[in-house]
Amino acid sequence: MSSFKTIEWKNDRVVMIDQRKLPSEEVYIECLTYKEVAKAIKEMVIRGAPAIGIAAAMGIALGALKSSKSDKSEFLSELDEISLLISTTRPTAVNLFWAINRMKELVDRNKGEDIDFIKNSLVEEAKRIYEEDVETCRRIGSIGAKLIEDGSVVLTHCNAGSLATADYGTALGIVRNAFESGKKIKVIATETRPYLQGARLTAWELNKDGLPVSLITDSTAGYVMSRGMVDTVIVGADRIASNGDVANKIGTYVLSVLAKSHDIPFYVAAPVSTIDYDCSVGEMIPIEERNIKEVTHIMGNKIAPDVNVLNPAFDITPNENVSSIITEKGIASAPYLGSLKELLD
Ligand code: MRU
């Protein structure tokens, strides 16, 4: 268990650690309405694919619970509006849509029941999605840790830790499991420009939980790999196409090319809910474009002239650069079309 809570259903409210404030302040915000949850996802109070999915499910549950509709069809159309709003918050992490669909399917199965029953079922389902994520990350951790030798240095990018999930993390779940089983693991975290999830979040959570971490700038990755200072790269994923192409935080692709050229294993750790079987190739994955101020400004200070700016939040790592995909159901390797499908059985 980490020493903080990323997200929690508490007294019919959704409580989240405000990740925008880390690492300087550890403060929690309480969402009383589904609109507040949607805003929190959009504005990055909570981020990271599995955590976004949990927040979406809790947002729908909260919206349902707070609905004042007594007419069934009006209540059901309000649920559709709630899901629609939440679906527009962030486009890339498929866990958001996976969670929304799971909540919708539950409503469809229980359409004949009364409103209170549907409300309670939605709350229970959101809590179940949370609990399952804890278990899923633990499994990813124990399956993936078998690939990590004692004394390894693991390079990771962005934040795929407790802060990106219900608890424990995906990529960092593997690190945590290896560490807890007594392996002397060290982590190198890339700062992850422009939003600095590596510097602000990964370095914070590992340090807080007593795991050894060194922070580097993104452009130092080639240096450390070329000097033999990295044994393994492990990253998370926002969406995995059925051919094994991986959408993850911008800069992941560069790391995969570097890892390949230095013969370093490049692992992707993600729950099966991050695999989008309807997306056959990486190019089909929608890539979020974020505010250019993330690039042109640092701590509110303008650091660039007024030029054209590109700020895609994610990139696609082609499957040929991915050594293995580590999930709670097992490890998939190339050819991914078959191995990822087998995870469904
Ligand atoms: O923009 P973010 O912070 O939501 O991006 C998160 C990432 O890219 C993570 O690496 C990914 O979601 C994996 S999280 C277990």
Side-chain angles (χ1 to χ4, degrees), residues 44 47-50 52 90 157-161 164-165 170 197 236-238 248-249 314:
M44 309 279 277
R47 30 62 52 204
I52 290 173
R90 295 198 69 194
H157 187 56
C158 192
N159 174 264
T165 59
T170 52
Q197 287 94 331
D238 285 81
N248 193 50
K249 183 52 57 194
F314 303 95

Side-chain angles (χ1 to χ4, degrees), residues 5-18 27-32 37 45-46 58 62 130:
K5 286 256 183 228
T6 301
I7 182 165
E8 211 179 349
W9 181 274
K10 206 174 177 184
N11 304 326
D12 293 341
R13 288 161 189 211
V14 181
V15 182
M16 305 171 187
I17 190 167
D18 190 344
V27 290
Y28 291 79
I29 69 153
E30 283 191 347
C31 299
L32 304 173
V37 174
V45 170
I46 190 156
M58 289 189 177
L62 193 59
Y130 173 96

